[in-house]
Amino acid sequence: MKKILFYLLGIVALSASLSGCSGINRLIKGGDPEAIYAKGVELYDVGKWSKAITLLQNVENYYSGTSKADTLSFYIARAHFKNRSYDTASELFDTYRRTFGRSPFIEDAEGMYAMCFYYLSPSPQRDQTVTGQAIVAISEFMSRYPDSEKYGQFEQMRNELTGRLHDKEFLNAYTYYKIGKHKSAIVALKNALRKYPETPHREELMYLIVGSGYELAHNSVQRKQTDRYLSMLDSYYTFIAEFPESTHRKEVDRMAKEAKDYLAKNQKNDTQDGN
């Protein structure tokens, strides 16, 4: 009985959908731009974004250059935004803000333009080009509309995206460490610190520099070990000066002791050889 009920409900829903599409098609074929526009706005107001887009786009050229042009273009772009078609919406909002710079919708348009990139920004594991675009767009909005009621919201989004860039830089550097490419890891870890000195990963990055330096020296041929242990100790002293209470303190102290023991032993051997 339940299967039959679900089947019947599905037929009703499908019929309603087809009926709606059929009504839109008839309206478009009727060729009355005012009627099409009115119905498009009606559907827009009740959140039927795809149907509203179909109707409003159909009369966009008809109203080009008229007093309704900016409203129509804004509705179409916002409907795409609400429909989560962020790529298309960003292009439409970009065109809109360049075309209708004095529109009463301009602040909303520029805000949603920036938000499109925010929603398109991927996780830190993926390429962060779009994240950079989002930060630029959000920063531009905040600069142009410092009194916007959405200023705080945009500031939070920018901070979140900046954190995503920090995470990406950390993950890139950590990958070298994880696969044992310690020389490359040291370069990448130091570059991450130079690029984002305020990163929340600062302690971890500096710890990994010490760890990479230790592993590099420990696994080097003898003629390179002295210089590499000395370099590792420089990183160690920098780390404990900034993070004396670090949870990594015991581990880096152990690595530093081994480095000092090696250097002391090596110096003693050099002295004996000299005698």
Side-chain angles (χ1 to χ4, degrees), residues 37-45 48-50 52-57 60 68-83 89 92-93 96 100 103 105 108-109 112:
Y37 177 84
K39 186 63 177 180
V41 171
E42 178 187 326
L43 293 171
Y44 174 92
D45 287 339
K48 294 185 177 180
W49 310 117
S50 295
I53 289 168
T54 299
L55 289 171
L56 295 176
Q57 283 183 331
E60 192 172 15
K68 289 183 178 179
D70 69 315
T71 301
L72 186 58
S73 294
F74 177 77
Y75 280 12
I76 292 170
R78 187 172 181 272
H80 278 288
F81 178 86
K82 287 292 186 178
N83 215 28
L92 293 174
F93 279 126
Y96 184 89
F100 303 106
S103 167
F105 300 118
D108 285 338
M112 281 183 278

Side-chain angles (χ1 to χ4, degrees), residues 17-261:
S17 175
L18 292 174
S19 176
C21 292
S22 176
I24 288 174
N25 289 334
R26 280 200 302 270
L27 194 60
I28 291 173
K29 288 179 180 179
D32 183 348
E34 291 291 342
I36 295 171
Y37 177 84
K39 186 63 177 180
V41 171
E42 178 187 326
L43 293 171
Y44 174 92
D45 287 339
V46 296
K48 294 185 177 180
W49 310 117
S50 295
K51 292 179 180 179
I53 289 168
T54 299
L55 289 171
L56 295 176
Q57 283 183 331
N58 192 266
V59 294
E60 192 172 15
N61 288 336
Y62 178 84
Y63 286 105
S64 178
T66 70
S67 59
K68 289 183 178 179
D70 69 315
T71 301
L72 186 58
S73 294
F74 177 77
Y75 280 12
I76 292 170
R78 187 172 181 272
H80 278 288
F81 178 86
K82 287 292 186 178
N83 215 28
R84 299 184 180 182
S85 302
Y86 299 120
D87 276 319
T88 301
S90 66
E91 294 175 4
L92 293 174
F93 279 126
D94 191 32
T95 300
Y96 184 89
R97 68 197 189 113
R98 297 175 191 281
T99 307
F100 303 106
R102 296 183 179 181
S103 167
F105 300 118
I106 190 63
E107 181 178 335
D108 285 338
E110 294 199 318
M112 281 183 278
Y113 170 73
M115 289 180 71
C116 285
F117 292 106
Y118 169 78
Y119 287 123
L120 288 168
S121 173
S123 65
Q125 289 79 10
R126 297 170 59 191
D127 179 78
Q128 293 299 299
T129 300
V130 175
T131 303
Q133 292 175 310
I135 291 173
V136 170
I138 288 171
S139 297
E140 286 179 352
F141 178 85
M142 293 172 65
S143 176
R144 290 173 186 166
Y145 305 101
D147 298 322
S148 170
E149 61 181 20
K150 295 181 180 179
Y151 189 92
Q153 176 188 349
F154 275 77
E155 189 171 35
Q156 288 180 355
M157 289 192 296
R158 184 173 65 179
N159 291 341
E160 178 188 335
L161 294 171
T162 300
R164 207 167 291 176
L165 293 182
H166 292 168
D167 292 345
K168 176 64 174 179
E169 203 70 23
F170 173 78
L171 289 172
N172 284 346
Y174 179 71
T175 298
Y176 287 110
Y177 176 85
K178 190 174 181 180
I179 64 176
K181 300 283 187 179
H182 296 297
K183 190 173 183 180
S184 297
I186 292 170
V187 173
L189 291 161
K190 288 183 176 180
N191 284 341
L193 282 173
R194 276 193 290 268
K195 191 172 182 179
Y196 300 114
E198 303 301 321
T199 174
H201 302 294
R202 184 174 179 83
E203 180 179 348
E204 193 69 15
L205 287 166
M206 293 179 70
Y207 157 69
L208 291 174
I209 290 171
V210 178
S212 292
Y214 167 80
E215 293 293 342
L216 183 64
H218 184 73
N219 295 297
S220 291
V221 295
Q222 187 173 4
R223 63 185 175 82
K224 293 184 177 181
Q225 282 186 304
T226 296
D227 287 342
R228 288 179 172 176
Y229 272 127
L230 286 170
S231 179
M232 172 260 167
L233 285 172
D234 283 342
S235 300
Y236 163 77
Y237 288 123
T238 301
F239 176 78
I240 62 171
E242 189 164 342
F243 301 103
E245 306 298 326
S246 173
T247 56
H248 298 299
R249 181 62 189 264
K250 186 176 181 179
E251 187 177 358
V252 295
D253 283 347
R254 176 190 62 77
M255 291 187 282
K257 182 180 184 304
E258 184 173 326
K260 291 173 185 177
D261 289 347

